[in-house]
Amino acid sequence: MTGYLGSYATLGLLLLASVLVFVGAFSANRLLRPSRPADPPGKRASYECGLDPVGSDWAQMQIRYYVYAYLYVLFAVEAVFLFPWAVVFDRPGFGVTTVVEMAIFVGVLALGILYAWRKNILRWTR
């Protein structure tokens, strides 16, 4: 399919194929499903480790879980930046400037962990 309308014809065939797959999947689902599905007692109840749910559906979460997750992401990002730097550091042309830039990067992260440590954020129980 070449020419002006060739790309539109390709797009149209792709859309037609996707609609056929969509309609075919839902038709097969309707044909293969049971006509009267079983509805045993408790099927639509919430499942919490085999126990009946007790209390309201709102639970308060402690903020320290988010702090630990944030610190994990912070140091994972640091590792993502340190590994490529360590690989290319040995190549010519990467001298003192590269070391200073990475020292500044690690220093800023160290200040963040020092701040968290001084504020006792990293202590699990208070």
Side-chain angles (χ1 to χ4, degrees):
M1 296 192 184
T2 60
Y4 178 72
L5 296 177
S7 58
Y8 289 111
T10 304
L11 179 65
L13 287 175
L14 182 64
L15 288 174
L16 180 67
S18 62
V19 167
L20 288 175
V21 168
F22 180 79
V23 169
F26 275 93
S27 299
N29 183 24
R30 185 170 288 273
L31 289 174
L32 297 175
R33 73 175 183 176
S35 59
R36 290 187 50 119
D39 199 9
K43 180 178 182 178
R44 302 193 192 285
S46 298
Y47 179 74
E48 296 180 8
C49 301
L51 302 174
D52 290 332
V54 177
S56 68
D57 58 349
W58 184 82
Q60 189 172 1
M61 184 104 167
Q62 293 190 12
I63 190 68
R64 71 179 74 146
Y65 298 127
Y66 295 110
V67 171
Y68 278 101
Y70 177 72
L71 288 173
Y72 171 76
V73 169
L74 180 76
F75 289 106
V77 168
E78 178 185 10
V80 165
F81 283 118
L82 278 176
F83 286 128
W85 174 79
V87 170
V88 300
F89 176 67
D90 194 26
R91 295 184 184 163
F94 296 98
V96 177
T97 307
T98 309
V99 174
V100 170
E101 287 175 354
M102 191 51 67
I104 291 171
F105 177 70
V106 171
V108 168
L109 290 174
L111 284 175
I113 193 73
L114 181 66
Y115 175 78
W117 183 47
R118 303 271 287 161
K119 291 285 188 178
N120 289 329
I121 292 173
L122 301 177
R123 201 165 283 172
W124 188 255
T125 58
R126 293 188 182 191

mmCIF file of all heavy atoms in Angstrom, residues 59-87:
data_model
loop_
_atom_site.group_PDB
_atom_site.id
_atom_site.type_symbol
_atom_site.label_atom_id
_atom_site.label_comp_id
_atom_site.label_asym_id
_atom_site.label_seq_id
_atom_site.Cartn_x
_atom_site.Cartn_y
_atom_site.Cartn_z
ATOM 1 N N ALA A 59 -9.010 2.876 57.678
ATOM 2 C CA ALA A 59 -7.952 2.568 58.630
ATOM 3 C C ALA A 59 -6.870 3.629 58.510
ATOM 4 O O ALA A 59 -6.496 4.015 57.395
ATOM 5 C CB ALA A 59 -7.366 1.195 58.349
ATOM 6 N N GLN A 60 -6.375 4.076 59.632
ATOM 7 C CA GLN A 60 -5.339 5.100 59.626
ATOM 8 C C GLN A 60 -3.981 4.434 59.437
ATOM 9 O O GLN A 60 -3.668 3.441 60.080
ATOM 10 C CB GLN A 60 -5.364 5.858 60.942
ATOM 11 C CG GLN A 60 -4.467 7.072 60.931
ATOM 12 C CD GLN A 60 -4.658 7.916 62.177
ATOM 13 O OE1 GLN A 60 -5.451 7.578 63.046
ATOM 14 N NE2 GLN A 60 -3.941 8.995 62.261
ATOM 15 N N MET A 61 -3.181 5.006 58.553
ATOM 16 C CA MET A 61 -1.851 4.471 58.248
ATOM 17 C C MET A 61 -0.821 5.411 58.829
ATOM 18 O O MET A 61 -0.948 6.626 58.715
ATOM 19 C CB MET A 61 -1.698 4.383 56.730
ATOM 20 C CG MET A 61 -0.446 3.774 56.297
ATOM 21 S SD MET A 61 -0.822 2.132 55.762
ATOM 22 C CE MET A 61 0.671 1.720 54.951
ATOM 23 N N GLN A 62 0.208 4.862 59.402
ATOM 24 C CA GLN A 62 1.237 5.710 59.983
ATOM 25 C C GLN A 62 2.127 6.267 58.891
ATOM 26 O O GLN A 62 2.437 5.595 57.913
ATOM 27 C CB GLN A 62 2.058 4.923 60.989
ATOM 28 C CG GLN A 62 1.246 4.543 62.208
ATOM 29 C CD GLN A 62 2.132 3.988 63.303
ATOM 30 O OE1 GLN A 62 3.334 4.079 63.244
ATOM 31 N NE2 GLN A 62 1.499 3.409 64.303
ATOM 32 N N ILE A 63 2.576 7.489 59.083
ATOM 33 C CA ILE A 63 3.353 8.192 58.067
ATOM 34 C C ILE A 63 4.746 7.594 57.912
ATOM 35 O O ILE A 63 5.364 7.719 56.861
ATOM 36 C CB ILE A 63 3.420 9.703 58.402
ATOM 37 C CG1 ILE A 63 4.007 10.503 57.237
ATOM 38 C CG2 ILE A 63 4.239 9.932 59.647
ATOM 39 C CD1 ILE A 63 3.142 10.553 56.053
ATOM 40 N N ARG A 64 5.233 6.885 58.923
ATOM 41 C CA ARG A 64 6.605 6.389 58.823
ATOM 42 C C ARG A 64 6.756 5.352 57.721
ATOM 43 O O ARG A 64 7.846 5.171 57.200
ATOM 44 C CB ARG A 64 7.089 5.871 60.163
ATOM 45 C CG ARG A 64 6.474 4.594 60.621
ATOM 46 C CD ARG A 64 7.054 4.179 61.940
ATOM 47 N NE ARG A 64 6.502 5.052 62.956
ATOM 48 C CZ ARG A 64 6.225 4.667 64.185
ATOM 49 N NH1 ARG A 64 6.488 3.450 64.554
ATOM 50 N NH2 ARG A 64 5.700 5.482 65.050
ATOM 51 N N TYR A 65 5.691 4.664 57.338
ATOM 52 C CA TYR A 65 5.781 3.741 56.214
ATOM 53 C C TYR A 65 6.112 4.496 54.930
ATOM 54 O O TYR A 65 6.921 4.049 54.121
ATOM 55 C CB TYR A 65 4.472 2.971 56.042
ATOM 56 C CG TYR A 65 4.108 2.118 57.222
ATOM 57 C CD1 TYR A 65 2.867 2.241 57.818
ATOM 58 C CD2 TYR A 65 4.999 1.193 57.738
ATOM 59 C CE1 TYR A 65 2.519 1.454 58.896
ATOM 60 C CE2 TYR A 65 4.665 0.399 58.815
ATOM 61 C CZ TYR A 65 3.424 0.534 59.389
ATOM 62 O OH TYR A 65 3.075 -0.234 60.450
ATOM 63 N N TYR A 66 5.508 5.647 54.759
ATOM 64 C CA TYR A 66 5.781 6.451 53.578
ATOM 65 C C TYR A 66 7.196 7.018 53.621
ATOM 66 O O TYR A 66 7.854 7.152 52.589
ATOM 67 C CB TYR A 66 4.767 7.579 53.461
ATOM 68 C CG TYR A 66 3.363 7.087 53.233
ATOM 69 C CD1 TYR A 66 2.399 7.211 54.211
ATOM 70 C CD2 TYR A 66 3.009 6.473 52.041
ATOM 71 C CE1 TYR A 66 1.112 6.750 54.015
ATOM 72 C CE2 TYR A 66 1.727 6.007 51.831
ATOM 73 C CZ TYR A 66 0.789 6.151 52.821
ATOM 74 O OH TYR A 66 -0.470 5.686 52.621
ATOM 75 N N VAL A 67 7.668 7.361 54.799
ATOM 76 C CA VAL A 67 9.028 7.898 54.929
ATOM 77 C C VAL A 67 10.039 6.832 54.533
ATOM 78 O O VAL A 67 10.997 7.111 53.803
ATOM 79 C CB VAL A 67 9.280 8.413 56.363
ATOM 80 C CG1 VAL A 67 10.735 8.759 56.566
ATOM 81 C CG2 VAL A 67 8.408 9.616 56.641
ATOM 82 N N TYR A 68 9.855 5.606 54.999
ATOM 83 C CA TYR A 68 10.765 4.536 54.618
ATOM 84 C C TYR A 68 10.705 4.267 53.113
ATOM 85 O O TYR A 68 11.730 4.029 52.483
ATOM 86 C CB TYR A 68 10.456 3.254 55.390
ATOM 87 C CG TYR A 68 11.067 3.252 56.767
ATOM 88 C CD1 TYR A 68 10.305 3.534 57.887
ATOM 89 C CD2 TYR A 68 12.405 2.977 56.949
ATOM 90 C CE1 TYR A 68 10.861 3.535 59.149
ATOM 91 C CE2 TYR A 68 12.981 2.976 58.196
ATOM 92 C CZ TYR A 68 12.199 3.261 59.296
ATOM 93 O OH TYR A 68 12.757 3.267 60.530
ATOM 94 N N ALA A 69 9.526 4.301 52.553
ATOM 95 C CA ALA A 69 9.404 4.102 51.109
ATOM 96 C C ALA A 69 10.102 5.222 50.351
ATOM 97 O O ALA A 69 10.791 4.978 49.350
ATOM 98 C CB ALA A 69 7.936 4.028 50.713
ATOM 99 N N TYR A 70 9.952 6.455 50.816
ATOM 100 C CA TYR A 70 10.596 7.592 50.171
ATOM 101 C C TYR A 70 12.116 7.474 50.258
ATOM 102 O O TYR A 70 12.825 7.719 49.285
ATOM 103 C CB TYR A 70 10.119 8.892 50.818
ATOM 104 C CG TYR A 70 10.779 10.109 50.261
ATOM 105 C CD1 TYR A 70 10.463 10.564 48.992
ATOM 106 C CD2 TYR A 70 11.732 10.804 50.989
ATOM 107 C CE1 TYR A 70 11.079 11.672 48.462
ATOM 108 C CE2 TYR A 70 12.351 11.915 50.466
ATOM 109 C CZ TYR A 70 12.021 12.346 49.217
ATOM 110 O OH TYR A 70 12.636 13.436 48.693
ATOM 111 N N LEU A 71 12.624 7.082 51.421
ATOM 112 C CA LEU A 71 14.069 6.928 51.563
ATOM 113 C C LEU A 71 14.596 5.797 50.692
ATOM 114 O O LEU A 71 15.676 5.897 50.118
ATOM 115 C CB LEU A 71 14.433 6.693 53.029
ATOM 116 C CG LEU A 71 14.284 7.914 53.930
ATOM 117 C CD1 LEU A 71 14.512 7.524 55.377
ATOM 118 C CD2 LEU A 71 15.234 9.015 53.510
ATOM 119 N N TYR A 72 13.823 4.720 50.555
ATOM 120 C CA TYR A 72 14.237 3.635 49.672
ATOM 121 C C TYR A 72 14.336 4.120 48.227
ATOM 122 O O TYR A 72 15.315 3.836 47.535
ATOM 123 C CB TYR A 72 13.267 2.461 49.760
ATOM 124 C CG TYR A 72 13.541 1.431 48.708
ATOM 125 C CD1 TYR A 72 14.610 0.573 48.831
ATOM 126 C CD2 TYR A 72 12.741 1.348 47.566
ATOM 127 C CE1 TYR A 72 14.883 -0.366 47.852
ATOM 128 C CE2 TYR A 72 13.013 0.418 46.586
ATOM 129 C CZ TYR A 72 14.083 -0.435 46.737
ATOM 130 O OH TYR A 72 14.350 -1.342 45.759
ATOM 131 N N VAL A 73 13.329 4.856 47.790
ATOM 132 C CA VAL A 73 13.354 5.370 46.421
ATOM 133 C C VAL A 73 14.528 6.326 46.237
ATOM 134 O O VAL A 73 15.208 6.313 45.211
ATOM 135 C CB VAL A 73 12.011 6.055 46.075
ATOM 136 C CG1 VAL A 73 12.098 6.824 44.785
ATOM 137 C CG2 VAL A 73 10.911 5.020 45.995
ATOM 138 N N LEU A 74 14.792 7.145 47.237
ATOM 139 C CA LEU A 74 15.903 8.089 47.162
ATOM 140 C C LEU A 74 17.223 7.369 46.947
ATOM 141 O O LEU A 74 18.009 7.728 46.064
ATOM 142 C CB LEU A 74 15.941 8.921 48.446
ATOM 143 C CG LEU A 74 17.036 9.957 48.550
ATOM 144 C CD1 LEU A 74 16.676 11.151 47.682
ATOM 145 C CD2 LEU A 74 17.210 10.382 49.983
ATOM 146 N N PHE A 75 17.483 6.329 47.710
ATOM 147 C CA PHE A 75 18.754 5.624 47.583
ATOM 148 C C PHE A 75 18.776 4.690 46.385
ATOM 149 O O PHE A 75 19.850 4.387 45.856
ATOM 150 C CB PHE A 75 19.092 4.911 48.882
ATOM 151 C CG PHE A 75 19.476 5.892 49.951
ATOM 152 C CD1 PHE A 75 18.622 6.177 50.985
ATOM 153 C CD2 PHE A 75 20.670 6.574 49.873
ATOM 154 C CE1 PHE A 75 18.960 7.101 51.941
ATOM 155 C CE2 PHE A 75 21.028 7.506 50.828
ATOM 156 C CZ PHE A 75 20.166 7.775 51.870
ATOM 157 N N ALA A 76 17.629 4.250 45.913
ATOM 158 C CA ALA A 76 17.596 3.486 44.672
ATOM 159 C C ALA A 76 17.963 4.376 43.498
ATOM 160 O O ALA A 76 18.699 3.968 42.599
ATOM 161 C CB ALA A 76 16.214 2.870 44.469
ATOM 162 N N VAL A 77 17.477 5.607 43.509
ATOM 163 C CA VAL A 77 17.849 6.564 42.461
ATOM 164 C C VAL A 77 19.335 6.868 42.536
ATOM 165 O O VAL A 77 20.013 7.001 41.517
ATOM 166 C CB VAL A 77 16.994 7.854 42.573
ATOM 167 C CG1 VAL A 77 17.543 8.958 41.706
ATOM 168 C CG2 VAL A 77 15.561 7.552 42.205
ATOM 169 N N GLU A 78 19.866 6.977 43.748
ATOM 170 C CA GLU A 78 21.297 7.213 43.892
ATOM 171 C C GLU A 78 22.090 6.071 43.269
ATOM 172 O O GLU A 78 23.075 6.297 42.558
ATOM 173 C CB GLU A 78 21.662 7.351 45.360
ATOM 174 C CG GLU A 78 23.154 7.557 45.563
ATOM 175 C CD GLU A 78 23.545 7.575 47.020
ATOM 176 O OE1 GLU A 78 22.727 7.246 47.884
ATOM 177 O OE2 GLU A 78 24.700 7.926 47.276
ATOM 178 N N ALA A 79 21.659 4.837 43.515
ATOM 179 C CA ALA A 79 22.355 3.695 42.941
ATOM 180 C C ALA A 79 22.260 3.693 41.421
ATOM 181 O O ALA A 79 23.218 3.355 40.730
ATOM 182 C CB ALA A 79 21.785 2.398 43.504
ATOM 183 N N VAL A 80 21.112 4.121 40.900
ATOM 184 C CA VAL A 80 20.934 4.173 39.445
ATOM 185 C C VAL A 80 21.913 5.172 38.826
ATOM 186 O O VAL A 80 22.428 4.961 37.732
ATOM 187 C CB VAL A 80 19.474 4.527 39.091
ATOM 188 C CG1 VAL A 80 19.333 4.937 37.652
ATOM 189 C CG2 VAL A 80 18.571 3.354 39.395
ATOM 190 N N PHE A 81 22.210 6.251 39.525
ATOM 191 C CA PHE A 81 23.161 7.229 39.003
ATOM 192 C C PHE A 81 24.613 6.838 39.281
ATOM 193 O O PHE A 81 25.506 7.221 38.539
ATOM 194 C CB PHE A 81 22.890 8.616 39.585
ATOM 195 C CG PHE A 81 21.729 9.298 38.957
ATOM 196 C CD1 PHE A 81 20.627 9.645 39.712
ATOM 197 C CD2 PHE A 81 21.720 9.591 37.609
ATOM 198 C CE1 PHE A 81 19.546 10.265 39.136
ATOM 199 C CE2 PHE A 81 20.644 10.204 37.015
ATOM 200 C CZ PHE A 81 19.554 10.551 37.788
ATOM 201 N N LEU A 82 24.870 6.098 40.341
ATOM 202 C CA LEU A 82 26.252 5.746 40.683
ATOM 203 C C LEU A 82 26.826 4.651 39.787
ATOM 204 O O LEU A 82 28.010 4.696 39.442
ATOM 205 C CB LEU A 82 26.337 5.300 42.143
ATOM 206 C CG LEU A 82 26.414 6.417 43.169
ATOM 207 C CD1 LEU A 82 26.382 5.838 44.565
ATOM 208 C CD2 LEU A 82 27.644 7.262 42.984
ATOM 209 N N PHE A 83 26.036 3.657 39.406
ATOM 210 C CA PHE A 83 26.576 2.561 38.612
ATOM 211 C C PHE A 83 27.066 3.016 37.239
ATOM 212 O O PHE A 83 28.180 2.680 36.845
ATOM 213 C CB PHE A 83 25.561 1.424 38.498
ATOM 214 C CG PHE A 83 25.413 0.637 39.773
ATOM 215 C CD1 PHE A 83 24.174 0.413 40.314
ATOM 216 C CD2 PHE A 83 26.521 0.127 40.422
ATOM 217 C CE1 PHE A 83 24.034 -0.298 41.486
ATOM 218 C CE2 PHE A 83 26.391 -0.592 41.597
ATOM 219 C CZ PHE A 83 25.146 -0.802 42.136
ATOM 220 N N PRO A 84 26.291 3.777 36.466
ATOM 221 C CA PRO A 84 26.833 4.231 35.174
ATOM 222 C C PRO A 84 28.043 5.147 35.348
ATOM 223 O O PRO A 84 28.977 5.115 34.550
ATOM 224 C CB PRO A 84 25.675 4.989 34.520
ATOM 225 C CG PRO A 84 24.471 4.537 35.228
ATOM 226 C CD PRO A 84 24.895 4.142 36.601
ATOM 227 N N TRP A 85 28.033 5.953 36.392
ATOM 228 C CA TRP A 85 29.169 6.832 36.639
ATOM 229 C C TRP A 85 30.419 6.006 36.915
ATOM 230 O O TRP A 85 31.496 6.318 36.423
ATOM 231 C CB TRP A 85 28.866 7.741 37.827
ATOM 232 C CG TRP A 85 30.033 8.568 38.238
ATOM 233 C CD1 TRP A 85 30.471 9.705 37.643
ATOM 234 C CD2 TRP A 85 30.913 8.300 39.323
ATOM 235 N NE1 TRP A 85 31.576 10.181 38.291
ATOM 236 C CE2 TRP A 85 31.875 9.335 39.332
ATOM 237 C CE3 TRP A 85 30.997 7.313 40.278
ATOM 238 C CZ2 TRP A 85 32.891 9.384 40.258
ATOM 239 C CZ3 TRP A 85 32.010 7.368 41.202
ATOM 240 C CH2 TRP A 85 32.938 8.393 41.189
ATOM 241 N N ALA A 86 30.281 4.947 37.683
ATOM 242 C CA ALA A 86 31.439 4.109 37.990
ATOM 243 C C ALA A 86 31.955 3.396 36.750
ATOM 244 O O ALA A 86 33.152 3.153 36.626
ATOM 245 C CB ALA A 86 31.062 3.092 39.066
ATOM 246 N N VAL A 87 31.081 3.096 35.804
ATOM 247 C CA VAL A 87 31.506 2.413 34.587
ATOM 248 C C VAL A 87 32.292 3.346 33.678
ATOM 249 O O VAL A 87 33.323 2.970 33.123
ATOM 250 C CB VAL A 87 30.284 1.832 33.848
ATOM 251 C CG1 VAL A 87 30.656 1.341 32.467
ATOM 252 C CG2 VAL A 87 29.676 0.709 34.664
#
